[in-house]
Amino acid sequence: MSVSSSPALDAIVIGAGHNGLTNAAYLAKAGLKVVVLEKNDYIGGAAVSRELHEGFTYSNCSYMCSMMRQAIHRDLNLSRHGLILVPYLGTVNSGDGDERLISYHDETAAYLELKRHSPHDADAMHRFQADLTRYSQLIRKTLLRTPPDPARLRPRDISELLFLAKQFWSMGEAQIYEYIRFFTMSAAEFLDDYFENDLIKAAMATPGIIGTALGVCSPGSAYVLLHHVMGDVDGNIGAWGLARGGMGAISNALAGAVREHGGEIRTQAGVRQVLVKNRRATGVVLDNGDQLSARIVVSNLDAKRTFTRIMDASDLPDGIREKADNFKIRGSSGKVNIALSALPKFTGVPDNPYVNRGGQAFSGSMETLERAYDCWKRGRWSDDPFVESVIPSAWDPTVAPPGQHWMSNFIQYCPPQLADGPWTAEKRDQFGQTVVNKIERYSPGFKDLILHMEVRTPHEIEQEIGLTEGNIFQGELTLDQLFFNRPFPGYGQYRMPVRNLYMCGSSTHPGGGVSATCGANAAREILLDLRRPNSVPEDDFFDE
Amino acid sequence: MNRYDVAIVGAGHNGLVCASYLARAGRRVLVLEAGQAPGGLAAGREFHPGFRASVAHTVSHFSAKVVRQLDLRKHGFGHSSPNLKTIGLDRDGNHVVLDGDVLSSTAAADAEAFAGYRERMTRFANALQPFWLKTAPAIGSAGLAGSMRGVPPRAPRLKAPSMTFAHMGYRLRRLGKREMREFLRVATLPARDLMDECFQSDVVKATLSWDGLVGSRLAPRSPNGAVLAMLYRMGEASGGAHAVPAGGIDSLVGSLCAAARAAGADIRCGAAVRRILIGERHADGARNGSHPASDGLAVQGVELDSGERIEADCVVSSADPQRTFLDLVGVPFLDIGFTNRIRRLRCQGLVAKLHLALDGVPEFDGLESPDGRMIIAPGLDAMEFAFDAAKYGECPENPVMEMVVPSLHDPSLAPAGQQVLSAHVMYVPYRRKRGWSDTARHAARERAIDTIAQYAPRIRDQIVACEFLTPADIERECHVTGGHWHHTEFAIDQMLMMRPTYQAAQYRTPIPGLYLCGAGCHPGGDLTGAPGHNAAREILQ
């Protein structure tokens, strides 16, 4: 065992997920000596590319990129470090039966397709998109900023509150009210304001449930919907993209930025404990017993893991352990990654390369979506779950052998604990089979194309990448855990209850998604505390 | 043709409260009630000869200020029964008893935890308490927003909202840093999360969640409404405890009528309003000085079903917003955006009413006397799953409910020696998927009685007669859209300055001279008198 002598390091970042890497990159860029510690033998956390079947590269957790802030992308030169984002061309939504709703980028085609289902909704779509854009513009302004603490009211908190108030009031009376409504209502109610056709509603509702333990009828799911559509990959709000080479390309590019600025990344270096002396974090103990000390420690783990797994209860002030225990981090999603011998054909979808390059969302009806949630509440998965399928190899030839394809399937809902006992390999495979059966319903012969399949329930996601309960957001996105309440009231500014300890993961504002904002925001606060010049860029907006 | 200063649509308790205040201020007031008796959801009904009940069966947070100011005691509002204990029934007889600040339960840890929970919730409720009797501030361009843009606002409109906001901020900040933060977190928490944080026993959790969920389209897992509903119901001095007034709910309605009449108001029952008459506003028609000249329309009076017309400068509707605007005003007089917002209000009730006429006191296993407010909700999952059925327009297999035996406190409700059992049964959908038929109503009623029989095995033998009102029945009988207790869902997006919707949230409506004073306004439903009180204040301004 080696004990390094005192602060050779300025900062230790625990966890090489994309936020940890972003945080380290900015700290290194500001001249700090930083090391990132990763328990796995690969970096990236949930943004990874892994060859789990020969010749196929799976983005086996996160599979789509939309929220990545462009300001960070440019500032860290991620393109130079190998990140290429290709636009995602939209989805075919399937109803419970034969109905299909195809999304087109071409405005006329999109309009005509909607009109085929409901002329009313085709017209309402303009209003819907305009409103969503307006809502997301305000939220986007808060992404790369530190939330104010409304109870403390130091000058900085006040100026931040005033900034928000100004943005808020500038929307005008009607919009303010609509905005408040939007924040608290369910996706179903929100969509009822616009649409009448059930398939269109279901198609639009699915972003409201992805990754969350809420249903389309649960108040609060409208915000989750927005959280998913406020990205702007190519400057267009709501646009989604795919990383060439898989989501690992994002992590690799961030790692490149860390190294460029002199930071170090160590894999197979799981942290057993954060060392605390006199209520100050002083370093960490690794799984292998090594100790590392540093001026500050930054945890990219979720709030629950940080305070219940790698911290000693006696090192924490009263009440923090309870807050961590009460932190809502509910696993609700599953993932099935499939290697295919050929591109599958879907019934009722025109056999046209433009359409088939999009993803397939088997959203069914609003009732199907809600019933799937009811199953989750009862500790089982639905026989008819929501499945969002994307075939990245249709855009990106690097992830599958020529002529063959890999298909990412995201499933909502999948419970973290089953009512009938713990997850077993057998139950996991049954879950995978449910998903395959559902796809087969829409693509006869699909099963025959399968070369390899990886099934991931919340259990696997937690075991492999350390997301508690497999929650992809590191904590539910409900109002009690958003903004200055995230992760806990009073700790919304990245500083944690032990001095020199920070958090930089999705458990902090603004929450989940491959956005890199949590890591960047935390870096800004750390640099402020260490009296270093800020290296984190301000956000820029395309709408102004 | 009759002339009044003010015509009030509906003699529900809010309409009567509003009428009293206006009449006391010297206005000539006429209250028009569609039903044969005043009271709305609180009106007594003889559901079987000699047996009486009303949809609302207890009083919990009726405004003490209104009681005082309108001298309701003098007008016959009896001293209430002692506060009812809330009893969470348990199948094994280990009932949870909630009596004021004390919770008795076999789960000793819960009883202990309750003290801290109760103290905190009381503190939060007290912080919010003043705002239920205030007009919710409008945050329009004429108010704060205008001032922030540097536009000099017109003094009266700026003052009220910014003062209310500042006051609210001050009250919250005065809770202390830690408690303010905790409030901001807890306010939107689902009942389930709050309960899981504090308690262990299923029955305790369900019983304490009840007041956050009852009457709403919310289940234990639904965020954003339940805790605020709990705090709303804890707002008065009773701290949320329920009571049956001496003389029953009838005595409250009776005293409100007496107070209104004593102040000079006329009340006519069996006089359904067919429409609210609206005409062009005259050049000198700025009778309501506070209203800016807008669309050139003004209220002229009301027309009854009989064809009779009553002229009035001011019409106040205690009917629900959808009925008021869509049926009585009519869309040709409203801006399309406003109409759409009213159409989209969520007004489908989920509470059915069961009235049992019993030949004796019902006997609940392990309970000395059924003189409390008894709740059948074995756990949060049971409530959630009952709600799940209702989401799809089905009746729950295992309904959850609140029961009282009001005749124990008010013997006039039943013949000597006999009793009335009154139950709010959740979650029964307003719109049943296959429609409400007599068979369906019968089946739902039997499920409810079977559920009671699990706790009071002899109940079926005691039943003399029974009545089951689905939300659709309540809509018809009490003239409330959707049969909804709150007229429209009590949820954050339909609260405060958004209740029922902006442009109608300060009791004024887009039509000069037309006001709202019912449960569809701030602060909301239940027997409180607050909307009626607040509306009267705005009208008199």
Side-chain angles (χ1 to χ4, degrees), chain A residues 127 149-153 162 165-166 168-178 180-185 189 192-194 214 217-220 323 326 328 330 367 370-374 376-378 478-481 484-485 489-491, chain B residues 137-142 144-145 148-149 157 165 173 176-178 180-182 184-186 188-190 192-193 196-197 217-219 221-224 341 344 346 381 384-388 391-392 394 433 492-494 497-498 502-503 506:
Chain A
R127 195 161 58 87
D149 183 342
R152 188 171 280 163
L153 299 181
L162 285 175
K166 187 165 163 258
F168 207 63
W169 299 123
S170 68
M171 292 192 299
E173 179 173 14
Q175 286 309 319
I176 294 174
Y177 290 117
E178 293 296 339
I180 301 173
R181 286 183 69 229
F182 170 77
F183 246 93
T184 54
M185 66 201 312
E189 287 154 4
D192 281 345
D193 282 3
Y194 299 89
L214 296 173
C217 296
S218 307
K323 282 190 201 306
N326 290 336
K328 292 188 290 185
R330 291 167 182 162
E367 184 169 333
E370 184 68 13
R371 284 194 187 274
Y373 173 54
D374 292 347
W376 178 89
K377 289 194 257 184
R378 288 160 173 79
T478 45
L479 286 178
D480 55 300
Q481 298 193 159
F484 47 67
N485 283 338
Y491 298 97
Chain B
I139 40 175
S141 46
L144 262 180
M148 294 205 52
R149 285 199 208 117
R157 286 213 63 177
F165 274 130
R173 190 61 191 78
K177 212 183 277 182
R178 219 183 68 182
M180 176 185 179
R181 285 177 181 146
E182 189 61 7
L184 291 175
R185 181 184 77 93
V186 164
T188 59
L189 223 50
R192 185 189 177 99
D193 294 338
D196 281 349
E197 286 179 12
R217 199 172 189 81
L218 291 173
R221 283 187 190 270
S222 312
N224 297 353
R341 295 205 303 279
R344 292 188 322 235
R346 302 193 300 284
D381 270 344
E384 187 75 34
F385 298 163
F387 175 73
D388 282 348
K391 281 192 300 199
Y392 310 112
E394 289 149 17
K433 205 171 217 170
I492 295 186
D493 61 300
Q494 298 188 167
M497 56 275 183
M498 290 170 296
Y502 57 94
Q503 298 174 333
Q506 283 75 36

Side-chain angles (χ1 to χ4, degrees), chain A residues 39 268-273 285-290:
Chain A
K39 75 168 172 122
Q268 290 180 294
V271 169
R272 188 198 296 160
Q273 203 185 349
V285 185
L286 300 185
D287 283 339
N288 65 9
D290 285 1

